[in-house]
Structures are given as C-alpha cells and as structure tokens.
Amino acid sequence: MNVRRSAAALAASAVLCVGAAPAALAAPSPSAPPAPVIPSGLYGKNDPTYDGVWRQSFALLAQQTVGVKPAEEAVAWLAGQQCANGGFASFRADAGAACDDKTMFDTNATAMAVQALKALGGQDAAVKKGVDWLKSVQNEDGGWAFVPGTPSEGNSTSLVISALAVAGEKPAEVKSKAGKSAYEGLLAFQLGCAAEPAADRGAFGYQPADGKLPANADATAAAVLAGLGQGAVVAPAATDTPAVPLACPAGATDPAAAAQGAAGHLAETLKKDGHLTAVTPGADQPTADTGNTADAVIALAAAGHKQSAAGALEWLKANSAQWAQGSPAALGTLVLAAHATGTDPKSFGGTDLVTALNATGPAPKTGESPAPKPKEESKSSDQNVWWIVGAGLAAGMGIGVLLSGRRKKNQL
C-alpha cells in the first residue's frame, strides 16, 4: 500500500478535471512550480498533495505497532486533517479552513486514518466521525469508490471494510440504502470458478474494463484482509497452514472463504518469481511490483499461510531497500509485513526499518533516535506514479482508475 495511493488520487483528480485539461495543456508554465511546503508534523519530504494523509497514517500505524510512541505533532497533524463531517481529503494544506463542496474527499485516506487513529488511542471521537462518514458514502451496491459518488471498485471497498472492522463495526451489517451489505459489495469483485484463465480464479478485480473484470493484485491482497475482518496490523499466526486455490465448482459463498481463495491465488502467483510483477506502459517486460508483494505477504500471514509468504518475504529483504528509501508509506508497509510474519523490523535484509521510518519525520517520543535525514524519495517512485496515472487515464476517462497496473502501490 503505498505509492499507488498517490497515483490513484492523481488519476482521480485528472479524471474529474478532464474538461479543463486541453486549456491547461495548451498553456505551458513559464517557470518550474515552487517546491512543496512540507508541514513540520508530516512524514516524508515529497509533495504531500496526493498522499499526505495516506503516508502519515502508515507511518504512525507502523510506529505504534512496534512500540514507538509517535511525536505529538505528528498525531496532531493527522487528526487536524479531518473535516467536520468526518471524512479526509488526500491532503489539506490549510487545515484551518473549513471543508466545502470543492473538497475532494478520499475514502482510502479516510480508511487508513481511521485505522491509525484507532491504534493510537485517545481518538475515539475522530474514529467514530470517520466511520460515520465512510458509511454515509457507501454506494447502493454495497461497495465504495476512491472518490465518493463514483462507481465502486474492489480496492477501495476492501480498504473501507478493513477500517470498519478495526473500528469495531460488523461489515455484514453495514448496508446501503438499497439494502446491500459491505460484504455483498466486496464479493462482487471476486473472479469465481468461471474465470479465464483459470489461474485468475479467486483473485479480486479493481473495476470491469470492456465488460471484463481483470484480476488485480492490489485489490486481491486488500480483499484478503477485508474478508477476514482484519486491518493492516496483523498479529503473527501461531500455526501455519498451506494456502489452497478457490474451492471449485462451489466457489466462495462467504467473506472468509473468499479471502482464503484470494490468498490461494496470491500464493500460487508468487511461486513463479518470488514476487509479484506489473507491466509498465511502454516496457517490453513486466517489472517487479514491490508494493503489492509486501501487501501479499501481509495478506498471506493474515490468512495463516506463513510458509506461502516466506519466499516473497526473503525477496523483499533483498530487494526493497531502494524502493522504500525515504518513503514513510513504503517503510511503514515493510514494518507491518515484518510484524505480520514475526520478523525483526530492525534487521530486515540489513536495514533497520524502524530507524529509517523515524528519520522521515518528527522524532518520536520513544524508540529509535532519528538517523541523519534520508535522501528524497527515489525518483523511481515518482516515475511509477506517473506511469500509473497514464495507465489510468488511458484505460478510461470515465472514472475507473486501474490501481494495479497501479498503489497503490510503489509507495510515496
């Protein structure tokens, strides 16, 4: 979970503003845009416009999980981003200004903020407001979209369900005005026993494209957590069971079975290279998808399949350092992957993830002393954002944003 979030926001913003695009493109900027102003309480040094709340939530959630007490100003910054109605935008430069009908609310940012604020404690009112807002923007089909008021998609639906479960809600009882439950909305995105190719059975899709629902790694990993009623913080399992494919011809009839079928798909996909891959537009060959590989490790651990995640975990230890450098969302995700598998996050392939994460923002109250300021987040992450946006826009100016061609992931 990570850079892709930023890409999703960028693409959604571009879709909603498509009418103004020609004029904007026709008038070249006379000078380079000013460097972004980074609030003192915010983690990360890159422009927070599209991922500020997202990356802050992951940083705080990861710190809290490993026993590091975040700086008060960091917690205050996140809490201060919440609008009066309970929702969050991706980032608000002026949190003192009231949110209005021009505010572009973000269900993904809100869902992760709810998880982080719940974990931090002492934020019950903010958590409740966030949950109430998420319920208020549920679509009639039971699902959610990245931007409220647009068609539901598998990734956002999964993230919201996880947030609701973490906050103490029962997703099966969260229903739309049309009477559809959150889980009914989620299960509509699973590729069942009739899926072709057969290897896609059990996977979840993001949104239909040209009448077909393609398998999407990001949505699949998120759906495992949602179907199991879990959030991003997964406790290491005491036992280990092998992942199995979706049970066919019966398919999945309940959220837990759907989650296990999705986990089976992830486990089988990881066998090929030890990591997930994504096709970059214009590239001849697929490239490693580090963000979704980390998500898959967390999902498999949540489903009780530690051994199925072992190979991908070792691959992350050897290959994630450059991808995560200076990125609070990426580092936070790796910390959570280490936690889920019972791995020491302070010795992750030679990297102390906790110290590296702490160094991206204000010094925490307890825990590691911040290391020297890291370099700016890698250019490769920025490039990933733009190719994902391009893919999303090319795929459809309607509203669908393909997140895994996508966020989600190579984290900002």
Side-chain angles (χ1 to χ4, degrees):
M1 301 168 192
N2 351 51
V3 167
R4 279 173 284 259
R5 242 8 117 181
S6 174
L10 279 165
S13 177
V15 168
L16 294 177
C17 298
V18 66
L25 293 174
S29 174
S31 60
V37 176
I38 308 299
S40 61
L42 177 64
Y43 285 81
K45 301 306 177 186
N46 281 3
D47 185 349
T49 300
Y50 302 105
D51 80 327
V53 170
W54 177 265
R55 76 196 196 198
Q56 189 81 348
S57 298
F58 267 91
L60 298 180
L61 190 61
Q63 286 182 325
Q64 185 72 14
T65 298
V66 295
V68 173
K69 193 170 183 61
E72 289 183 0
E73 63 178 317
V75 177
W77 184 89
L78 179 60
Q81 287 286 301
Q82 188 172 38
C83 294
N85 65 1
F88 286 76
S90 300
F91 171 76
R92 293 198 293 139
D94 182 5
C99 301
D100 55 26
D101 57 3
K102 294 182 180 179
T103 301
M104 191 171 123
F105 289 97
D106 176 346
T107 61
N108 291 200
T110 302
M112 287 313 304
V114 164
Q115 288 199 47
L117 293 171
K118 179 66 176 180
L120 290 166
Q123 302 286 339
D124 290 350
V127 170
K128 184 179 186 306
K129 287 173 61 178
V131 167
D132 288 345
W133 181 81
L134 288 170
K135 289 180 177 180
S136 75
V137 296
Q138 184 179 20
N139 286 335
E140 289 194 357
D141 61 8
W144 282 264
F146 183 91
V147 178
T150 62
S152 299
E153 33 89 355
N155 191 71
S156 293
T157 297
S158 297
L159 288 171
V160 172
I161 288 175
S162 286
L164 293 174
V166 166
E169 298 288 326
K170 296 180 179 179
E173 298 176 6
V174 176
K175 297 185 177 182
S176 69
K177 294 179 180 179
K180 294 287 187 178
S181 75
Y183 276 139
E184 287 180 281
L186 175 65
L187 293 180
F189 290 99
Q190 184 165 41
L191 282 69
C193 295
E196 292 295 340
D200 286 347
R201 296 174 186 177
F204 277 73
Y206 173 72
Q207 262 183 346
D210 297 326
K212 181 180 178 181
L213 182 65
N216 181 289
D218 196 38
T220 302
V224 172
L225 297 180
L228 296 174
Q230 294 201 46
V233 178
V234 173
T239 59
D240 186 30
T241 60
V244 296
L246 181 70
C248 288
T253 57
D254 62 76
Q260 290 296 342
H265 168 78
L266 289 173
E268 191 64 29
T269 304
L270 286 170
K271 287 181 180 179
K272 180 180 179 181
D273 301 304
H275 61 81
L276 299 179
T277 60
V279 179
T280 304
D284 295 330
Q285 299 293 331
T287 56
D289 186 345
T290 312
N292 276 324
T293 298
D295 287 347
V297 167
I298 296 172
L300 287 169
H305 311 315
K306 185 176 179 179
Q307 189 58 42
S308 296
L313 180 67
E314 292 305 311
W315 184 88
L316 286 172
K317 290 179 181 179
N319 296 279
S320 63
Q322 182 178 358
W323 167 78
Q325 186 178 47
S327 168
L331 288 166
T333 300
L334 291 176
V335 168
L336 295 177
H339 176 74
T341 55
T343 303
D344 184 1
K346 296 182 180 181
S347 182
F348 193 84
T351 298
D352 184 337
L353 297 174
V354 178
T355 296
L357 174 60
N358 291 348
T360 65
K365 288 183 177 180
T366 61
E368 301 292 322
S369 298
K373 291 294 182 180
K375 298 177 182 179
E376 288 189 359
E377 300 172 40
S378 66
K379 292 181 179 179
S380 62
S381 285
D382 292 334
Q383 292 168 348
N384 282 345
V385 169
W386 290 112
W387 73 251
I388 294 167
V389 172
L393 293 176
M397 286 297 191
I399 267 207
V401 179
L402 294 181
L403 293 186
S404 180
R406 176 202 78 78
R407 202 140 167 226
K408 203 195 111 242
K409 287 143 184 261
N410 270 348
Q411 324 201 2
L412 274 190

